[in-house]
Every structure is written in structure tokens, then in C-alpha cells.
Amino acid sequence: IRENFVYKPISDFPEVVEQMTISSKLEIGDIIEKIQSAGKLINKITYTGSFQDNHSFKITFSSPEKNLIQSEVNEIKKTIQGLFS
């Protein structure tokens, strides 16, 4: 085993995967950093493509403590949209 190996246990609770399109002139890396800052339930962000200034992402939400409900995910998505308006 490599010394810098980081173990992250698999959650007992399912992930929620949502697609989002962000309209921004920022660079993709900066957009991803802003999205990540929107909530601790954001587990993974995958860039899927761009057209003009609209950038699409697949965002994976999860909690190690409970099942997420759609209203919790929607609140985080509103926060993300607020960062770019």
C-alpha cells in the first residue's frame, strides 16, 4: 500500500445525482470550486460540456448519516444558482 493512500468508506445511503447547467464566463475550475463551496453534501462534480457561456455538470450529493430528500438537494441547487446570478 502506498503511504499517501486515503481510504474513504462507502456510504450506507444512496447518492442523488443531478444535472445542472450554469451560465457563467468564469473558467471551469473556478466554477467547480464555487459549486463545491455550496454545501457539504456535494460529493462529486463532473463537467459534462459547454455551449457558449452555459456549462453543464453532473453533481452527486450524499450524506454519510441519512437518506437525502429531494427538498434538501433542491436547496443546495438554489444556493448554487445564487452563486452565479
Side-chain angles (χ1 to χ4, degrees):
I1 297 176
R2 291 183 273 158
E3 291 181 25
N4 60 353
F5 180 78
V6 178
Y7 171 75
K8 183 177 179 184
I10 297 172
S11 177
D12 292 332
F13 304 100
E15 297 176 331
V16 176
V17 179
E18 298 273 334
Q19 296 279 343
M20 283 191 75
T21 299
I22 305 294
S23 182
S24 176
K25 293 183 186 258
L26 294 174
E27 293 183 9
I28 300 303
D30 295 335
I31 295 172
I32 290 173
E33 285 180 17
K34 284 182 96 170
I35 293 171
Q36 189 67 54
S37 72
K40 63 181 180 179
L41 297 178
I42 297 173
N43 187 36
K44 183 178 178 184
I45 303 166
T46 305
Y47 170 72
T48 58
S50 294
F51 179 73
Q52 296 177 355
D53 289 334
N54 296 311
H55 312 287
S56 297
F57 299 90
K58 181 170 69 171
I59 304 173
T60 305
F61 302 86
S62 65
S63 171
E65 301 162 355
K66 64 178 183 165
N67 286 327
L68 296 178
I69 57 175
Q70 191 62 47
S71 62
E72 291 173 304
V73 173
N74 290 344
E75 281 299 314
I76 298 171
K77 289 174 64 178
K78 281 184 192 176
T79 300
I80 292 169
Q81 288 292 349
L83 294 172
F84 297 98
S85 53

